[in-house]
Amino acid sequence: MKKSFLFLFIAALVPGRGPSAAQEPPPALTLPATLSEVRTANPSLAAARRQLDLLEAEVIINSAYPNPSIEIDKAASSGSDGYEIKAVQPVPLTRRAGTAGAATRASYEAAQKELQALETVILSAARKTWYALRIAKERRSFEETNLRFSMDILNKIEMRLQTGEAGNADLARAKVETSRSGLHLHEAETTLRAAAGELNTLMGRRPDAPAAVSENGGFSLAPVAPALEPLEKYTELALARRSEPRALALNARAADLGVALEKSKRLPVPELGLIRGSGGGTGYTRLFLGLELPLWYSNKGEIKRALAHKASLDYEAQRLELEIRREVYSAWLELGLAQKRLAASRETVALLNDLRRTASQDYLSGKIDLAAFYETNRVFLEENVSYLDALNGYYEKTAQLEAAANSGEEK
């Protein structure tokens, strides 16, 4: 009793050792909850939103009408009371401010579409990583079970060695297989931590922060893959829903307005002014008209640059359509292959589960030698790991096709 009391007393004094110091595990994240946090806290998305604020300010700046100016001139000679006040207002002959504002507004709206496209890419990466983390958890559980199985076989072989039913070679082989199972468990743990670090980074957290995923939440070890639609349907969805073509169209509109704006700058901007002054004891008022003459330079370079930018966007539209079609086609093919691989691997694993159990019983009953058992066991392990890889590939390629076609599904 004294020892228990002393232990509790010391545990209370030492930081991090008492029951109250234990940290509660983080809440398990479902896929929708993960995607919601990525939208809110992802650093790349946050930076893109800040850039939108800058473009919004540019709309206000470029839409502003030119301000008037006032000059005051006071004679500096001794005894002179002469002065002159000049008020000047630029009066553009064209709607230069309106054109500049419309061009910047189109660029701002294009940036909004580009932000949507970036969000689709990042959410797709988060979806893939969530599934990878969930499957890595299953892989670790599988390796833990396999290590226990290997240790159980080793214990039975040690007992058989004492009765003469097994030799030293069998014991050595069992120890090698147990050591190998421990290494595979360590590899699975490392993969799990790496996936957790990637998901944390996407959610704007430190990579080494605790991360746990829900046991359910849209995940199945044996998903029923729906039949793929024809390629044309996914391509039509992509061309109609993807944000990149709409962003490009808005940038093209901004380029058109930019050309018009630069051409309008070839025209001089008149300045209307009023001069009020006094000299020699007599006051006076004059109106004047000022004009800048574009004799030496008529904005040729800016116009050429604006036209070149517009032409480059025309070629970009063709390239973008081909790129979208390629992405959809590639994702469609890869998902079809992933579905077939998953179905084939599932049937193989179901057969091997019974085969390993039978091989274990046959070895212990003396019907087969240890080498034959471990050969069956090797195939069993490889095919189970292959199934988990196929499962990860299926979920990854599903997310890839959803992102390519911008279907907006968040299962």
Side-chain angles (χ1 to χ4, degrees):
M1 175 66 71
K2 290 183 178 179
K3 289 184 179 180
S4 294
F5 177 77
L6 182 61
F7 172 76
L8 291 174
F9 179 75
I10 294 174
L13 291 178
V14 178
R17 296 294 183 183
S20 60
Q23 295 182 351
E24 294 184 1
L29 291 169
T30 62
L31 180 56
T34 300
L35 298 180
S36 177
E37 186 161 350
V38 169
R39 280 196 188 93
T40 303
N42 180 265
S44 297
L45 291 177
R49 293 188 187 103
R50 298 300 178 271
Q51 290 297 320
L52 276 180
D53 293 340
L54 293 175
L55 287 175
E56 191 173 13
E58 288 292 329
V59 174
I60 299 174
I61 293 170
N62 286 279
S63 301
Y65 196 78
N67 288 317
S69 62
I70 296 179
E71 297 180 11
I72 301 176
D73 184 13
K74 179 71 171 67
S77 59
S78 175
S80 173
D81 60 352
Y83 71 90
E84 191 172 80
I85 301 175
K86 178 167 58 175
V88 180
Q89 172 64 60
V91 184
L93 297 177
T94 61
R95 298 183 58 191
R96 185 177 300 180
T99 303
T104 314
R105 190 174 298 107
S107 297
Y108 171 73
E109 293 173 357
Q112 288 180 313
K113 298 302 179 184
E114 290 168 357
L115 174 60
Q116 293 176 7
L118 177 63
E119 182 177 287
T120 299
V121 171
I122 291 178
L123 289 181
S124 177
R127 189 179 292 110
K128 293 176 185 179
T129 307
W130 188 92
Y131 283 124
L133 179 57
R134 184 65 182 82
I135 292 169
K137 185 178 179 181
E138 292 294 333
R139 170 74 183 276
R140 183 184 63 180
S141 177
F142 171 76
E143 297 296 352
E144 287 173 345
T145 302
N146 183 61
L147 179 58
R148 289 193 295 268
F149 179 82
S150 297
M151 294 177 67
D152 182 58
I153 292 293
L154 176 60
N155 291 333
K156 290 178 179 178
I157 289 177
E158 288 175 341
M159 295 175 60
R160 289 165 64 85
L161 184 66
Q162 295 175 0
T163 61
E165 297 178 84
N168 290 327
D170 287 356
L171 180 61
R173 177 66 185 275
K175 288 181 178 179
V176 169
E177 294 295 335
T178 302
S179 176
R180 186 176 296 169
S181 297
L183 176 60
H184 290 166
L185 176 58
H186 183 72
E187 291 173 345
E189 180 67 29
T190 301
T191 301
L192 178 67
R193 291 185 178 185
E198 180 67 20
L199 191 62
N200 276 327
T201 303
L202 288 168
M203 292 188 293
R205 304 176 180 178
R206 288 180 45 169
D208 57 343
V213 293
S214 173
E215 292 293 331
N216 298 313
F219 175 80
S220 171
L221 276 172
V224 179
L228 280 175
E229 299 287 346
L231 173 63
E232 291 74 15
K233 180 175 180 179
Y234 296 107
T235 304
E236 289 175 4
L237 281 175
L239 294 175
R241 295 184 178 182
R242 291 264 298 248
S243 299
E244 294 94 323
R246 286 178 280 176
L248 185 59
L250 288 166
N251 278 324
R253 171 171 168 72
D256 286 334
L257 291 169
V259 171
L261 177 62
E262 297 301 338
K263 288 182 177 180
S264 71
K265 291 180 181 179
R266 293 181 301 185
L267 299 175
V269 178
E271 292 182 346
L272 294 179
L274 173 68
I275 298 176
R276 174 70 177 172
S278 174
T282 304
Y284 58 89
T285 301
R286 296 198 305 264
L287 294 174
F288 80 92
L289 172 65
L291 196 64
E292 176 190 3
L293 299 178
L295 296 178
W296 318 123
Y297 184 67
S298 57
N299 221 36
K300 294 179 181 179
E302 286 80 356
I303 293 172
K304 184 176 181 180
R305 181 177 60 189
L307 288 170
H309 177 58
K310 181 179 181 301
S312 68
L313 289 179
D314 292 338
Y315 285 107
E316 177 66 15
Q318 301 175 17
R319 187 207 64 80
L320 179 60
E321 180 178 345
L322 287 175
E323 178 64 18
I324 290 175
R325 289 180 179 275
R326 184 200 64 79
E327 288 179 6
V328 174
Y329 181 58
S330 178
W332 182 74
L333 286 176
E334 290 176 1
L335 179 55
L337 179 61
Q339 289 180 346
K340 289 180 173 60
R341 181 189 175 195
L342 181 63
S345 185
R346 182 183 301 165
E347 294 177 1
T348 303
V349 167
L351 294 173
L352 285 173
N353 285 338
D354 295 333
L355 188 60
R356 185 176 78 154
R357 189 181 306 109
T358 301
S360 175
Q361 295 171 354
D362 289 346
Y363 167 70
L364 294 175
S365 64
K367 294 181 180 179
I368 61 174
D369 59 14
L370 187 61
F373 163 72
Y374 274 126
E375 176 61 22
T376 302
N377 188 62
R378 180 188 64 80
V379 176
F380 167 82
L381 296 177
E382 289 179 354
E383 290 302 325
N384 271 274
V385 172
S386 179
Y387 177 76
L388 291 177
D389 288 343
L391 187 65
N392 187 48
Y394 165 74
Y395 280 116
E396 179 180 333
K397 300 308 178 183
T398 299
Q400 183 174 322
L401 183 58
E402 289 175 359
N406 199 19
S407 62
E409 297 179 18
E410 295 177 1
K411 298 178 182 177

